[in-house]
Amino acid sequence: MDLAYHNQTLSGTIANKGIAFGRICFLKREKAEQIKKTVDNTNDEIDRFEKARLHAISQLGALYEASLEKLGEQNAVVFQIHQMMLDDPEYISSIHNLIISEKSNAEYAVTTVAHRFEKQFLEMDNDYMRGRAADVIDVSRRINEILMMHAGKLEHRGLRFSIDGPIILATDDLVPSETVQLDQHTVTGIITSKGSDRSHTAIFARTMGIPTIVCIGSQLKEEYEGLYAIVDANAGNVIICPDDEIICKYREIKRTDDVQSSHLEDYRGKATLTRSGAQIRLYANSGSLADLDLIKASDAEGIGLFRSEYIYMQAHDYPTEEEQFKIYRDVLKGMDNKKVIIRTLDIGADKTAEYFMLKPEENPAMGVRAIRLCLNNRALFKTQLRALYRASLYGNLSVMIPMVTSVEEVVECKSIIEEVKAELSSQGLGYKQGVEFGVMIETPAAALISDELAQHVDFFSIGTNDLTQFTLACDRQNAELGKYLNPYHHGVIRLIEMTVRNGHAAGIWVGICGELASDEKFLGKLIQIGVDEMSVVPSSILSLRAKIATLG
């Protein structure tokens, strides 16, 4: 034990729960030449880049095939997405232009453009899109390593560890192609200084069952190399050089967790019932089509929130009706007739794509976003609704409108939906009758008039994250306000109670899709209030089902 680090604790964001033991081992990578070098012939340098790019696309195709069995098709598809990123005209032209304009070497151009794209992704107010920052770094690093191999400066691509297992793998961030190479018997835990709990890497770690903590920041230092540590990914902590008492304590916790995990399988395929026999529908949140395998593996009873904005945010222009239709169709077919609630476009000045050309706003969270943006641009809205209703033939679709504040907005949305259905019928395009229509209760205004709104919709879904933010006048993106952002505030709870009571009085069901839905400490209160449905991250499904069985 190194007494200088005795029982030192680091904290981060939980990406996959669990307990892990091992010596900390920092990932060693071959570094591409990032120093700018002047080249004489830019055409030759572009040719070098293009050969490496095509080689990378070929490698990714092989990696996709190799990953199918280990990760499942919906997770392995990330490597097909990486192939598409390498075919992206904006990415390619940016590298070509940098080589030409600055007469730079390909390695420098690739690295520079990669960091530019990474910065753009990280600045987006969307977990899914922030998670794509790791993808652009991954594909760019692959190209640079191939450039080095072609130049004879690198023998092979792969992970290198300086310590024998079991190890706690430490790094700035893991990219998907690195994560998929991990051996769970050697790598017992993962800790990163950067990253996102919505990244493909986090999803892979969950699929592979590796306890993972991300976003540790500057606390994670290379001087910890070789030190024994415990990853407590249930609490988001890493204990450096723990003493014997702490080691014994965590070994007992892990034994208990392992027993509980094996018992959770008893709830697979079962209805979610309280102790008194009341049924709760337990659905999963989804940020993209790539989540489907994880959702199905979680035993979710449906998708309670499919965030459609990712389709727009990863596009370079407004996605067409046909492009959207194919995605919605594949989600609905993939869920085998289980309910899928798709939220219409929730985008605004703080969460957007360049082609929207929205004006900067002083307070974008309360600006031109979500349903306000759609009602201001009916053509945009109708394109999405046409795609949704056409896709309804392929599964059990419900449509949900975000950021509602008035009955008039709901009435206008329903009028546009009727226009869309009439147009589809006149064009001989089918759609399913009786698609459920609901609204999100995210504003105090919506909660306060929920008795009126309930007369016009089939269901409510309470978004507790925004409801808390707006009720408490507290920006949830501002880290300094964390102590004021109290989801248990009596004002927030009373609005939830009012919404459920008014919904039930009108004969409609009421769900909840914010973070409170997966808060095990608050489950008893939600059941007492009478919530009918909860939508949570897929990894929480079985543990919540087991917890609900002990309540009510």
Side-chain angles (χ1 to χ4, degrees):
M1 179 191 301
D2 191 323
L3 294 177
Y5 303 107
H6 178 50
N7 289 344
Q8 187 169 332
T9 300
L10 318 179
S11 298
T13 300
I14 300 166
N16 186 44
K17 290 185 175 182
I19 305 292
F21 305 86
R23 288 199 293 158
I24 293 175
C25 177
F26 277 81
L27 179 63
K28 306 297 187 297
R29 297 187 180 101
E30 295 290 345
K31 291 187 177 180
E33 291 183 348
Q34 298 182 21
I35 299 172
K36 183 179 178 182
K37 295 183 178 179
T38 302
V39 298
D40 295 326
N41 191 321
T42 56
N43 288 333
D44 286 350
E45 203 64 15
I46 288 174
D47 187 53
R48 281 188 69 226
F49 163 71
E50 283 299 324
K51 286 178 179 176
R53 184 178 70 85
L54 294 176
H55 188 166
I57 290 173
S58 175
Q59 283 186 350
L60 288 164
L63 192 53
Y64 167 77
E65 295 296 334
S67 302
L68 283 172
E69 184 175 345
K70 188 171 187 177
L71 298 174
E73 184 172 1
Q74 292 298 336
N75 283 329
V77 76
V78 66
F79 298 115
Q80 292 184 320
I81 294 171
H82 282 193
Q83 287 179 304
M84 289 187 284
M85 291 177 80
L86 289 179
D87 271 331
D88 178 70
E90 186 178 353
Y91 177 79
I92 296 170
S93 63
S94 296
I95 292 170
H96 284 190
N97 292 339
L98 193 57
I99 291 173
I100 293 168
S101 64
E102 300 192 17
K103 293 185 177 296
S104 75
N105 53 318
E107 292 89 345
Y108 173 81
V110 169
T111 301
T112 302
V113 169
H115 288 310
R116 185 188 305 161
F117 275 64
E118 179 191 30
K119 183 173 183 291
Q120 290 173 359
F121 281 126
L122 289 174
E123 288 175 348
M124 293 181 179
D125 183 27
N126 176 278
D127 287 341
Y128 176 82
M129 296 308 294
R130 281 198 296 269
R132 304 293 68 75
D135 294 326
V136 74
I137 292 298
D138 194 355
V139 297
S140 301
R141 186 177 291 151
R142 178 177 295 275
I143 288 177
N144 272 339
E145 288 179 349
I146 291 171
L147 285 167
M148 291 168 67
M149 288 172 64
H150 288 176
K153 297 176 181 177
L154 179 66
E155 290 186 11
H156 60 85
R157 188 178 199 270
L159 301 182
R160 295 187 298 110
F161 305 133
S162 57
I163 299 172
D164 293 332
I167 63 170
I168 305 299
L169 180 60
T171 183
D172 56 346
D173 193 10
L174 272 178
V175 292
S177 64
E178 291 171 335
T179 312
V180 75
Q181 296 179 59
L182 300 180
D183 176 358
Q184 298 100 304
H185 300 294
T186 301
V187 178
T188 60
I190 300 170
I191 53 177
T192 71
S193 58
K194 302 179 189 177
S196 161
D197 61 354
R198 292 287 302 167
S199 68
H200 285 304
T201 296
I203 293 169
F204 288 7
R206 288 193 282 272
T207 303
M208 298 163 70
I210 303 176
T212 301
I213 298 175
V214 299
C215 301
I216 294 173
S218 58
Q219 303 173 82
L220 186 57
K221 303 170 184 175
E222 293 213 16
E223 62 198 56
Y224 296 139
E225 174 83 13
L227 298 181
Y228 189 79
I230 298 172
V231 174
D232 177 4
N234 296 329
N237 296 325
V238 183
I239 300 101
I240 312 291
C241 296
D243 58 32
D244 290 343
E245 183 179 349
I246 289 178
I247 292 172
C248 289
K249 169 190 167 184
Y250 273 98
R251 291 204 184 281
E252 185 58 35
I253 291 173
K254 188 174 187 331
R255 276 193 290 270
T256 303
D257 283 355
D258 290 345
V259 170
Q260 288 177 343
S261 295
S262 64
H263 287 166
L264 290 183
E265 289 301 314
D266 296 340
Y267 292 90
R268 186 174 295 280
K270 305 286 181 61
T272 304
L273 300 172
T274 66
R275 194 169 50 197
S276 63
Q279 184 163 356
I280 307 292
R281 296 193 294 278
L282 198 52
Y283 295 165
N285 295 333
S286 174
S288 76
L289 183 61
D291 291 342
L292 277 192
D293 261 13
L294 187 60
I295 289 170
K296 289 194 284 187
S298 76
D299 200 40
E301 297 163 44
I303 294 177
L305 171 62
F306 182 89
R307 300 176 176 91
S308 66
E309 56 269 17
Y310 96 92
I311 301 169
Y312 296 79
M313 294 180 73
Q314 68 176 7
H316 298 294
D317 201 353
Y318 294 104
T320 65
E321 176 183 326
E322 198 63 27
E323 288 169 339
Q324 293 189 64
F325 160 72
K326 289 176 180 177
I327 294 171
Y328 303 142
R329 177 198 63 193
D330 290 349
V331 172
L332 289 163
K333 287 174 68 175
M335 287 302 292
D336 302 321
N337 214 43
K338 291 181 177 179
K339 185 180 291 294
V340 176
I341 302 174
I342 297 181
R343 181 175 70 187
T344 58
L345 178 61
D346 186 1
I347 209 165
D350 65 331
K351 179 174 60 174
T352 187
E354 187 175 344
Y355 60 85
F356 274 84
M357 293 186 291
L358 297 177
K359 298 176 182 177
E361 295 184 274
E362 296 251 343
N363 196 341
M366 294 191 286
V368 181
R369 57 170 283 202
I371 196 57
R372 298 167 180 175
L373 176 68
C374 290
L375 293 179
N376 286 349
N377 191 337
R378 289 172 71 105
L380 171 73
F381 194 29
K382 287 180 74 172
T383 296
Q384 180 174 33
L385 290 171
R386 284 176 59 92
L388 283 166
Y389 276 84
R390 284 176 57 199
S392 67
L393 292 172
Y394 297 88
N396 186 1
L397 172 69
S398 295
V399 174
M400 179 165 69
I401 307 298
M403 198 64 184
V404 166
T405 58
S406 71
V407 170
E408 289 75 17
E409 290 167 333
V410 175
V411 170
E412 187 174 355
C413 287
K414 293 180 73 174
S415 173
I416 295 172
I417 288 171
E418 291 307 313
E419 287 179 26
V420 164
K421 288 157 72 173
E423 289 174 6
L424 292 176
S425 295
S426 69
Q427 295 166 358
L429 296 171
Y431 60 88
K432 184 179 284 187
Q433 298 291 339
V435 170
E436 274 193 329
F437 172 80
V439 296
M440 291 195 72
I441 305 295
E442 301 170 276
T443 65
L448 290 167
I449 62 166
S450 53
D451 57 336
E452 300 175 39
L453 292 172
Q455 307 304 315
H456 299 272
V457 301
D458 300 307
F459 66 94
F460 289 147
S461 184
I462 303 172
T464 58
N465 299 348
D466 266 340
L467 184 61
T468 302
Q469 164 175 256
F470 294 133
T471 302
L472 302 181
C474 196
D475 182 1
R476 62 191 176 98
Q477 302 294 332
N478 187 336
E480 294 183 17
L481 297 177
K483 65 180 179 179
Y484 301 108
L485 195 68
N486 176 16
Y488 312 117
H489 190 286
H490 289 174
V492 177
I493 304 308
R494 288 175 185 175
L495 291 175
I496 294 172
E497 290 173 332
M498 178 186 295
T499 301
V500 174
R501 184 169 61 250
N502 287 334
H504 288 173
I508 67 172
W509 63 267
V510 183
I512 188 165
C513 63
E515 289 182 16
L516 270 183
S518 56
D519 187 337
E520 293 194 10
K521 299 189 299 294
F522 201 69
L523 272 180
K525 182 65 175 177
L526 290 178
I527 290 170
Q528 180 188 345
I529 290 171
V531 169
D532 304 292
E533 175 262 347
M534 301 175 190
S535 190
V536 299
V537 294
S539 57
S540 297
I541 294 291
L542 289 180
S543 61
L544 286 178
R545 185 172 295 152
K547 181 70 174 177
I548 289 169
T550 69
L551 300 170

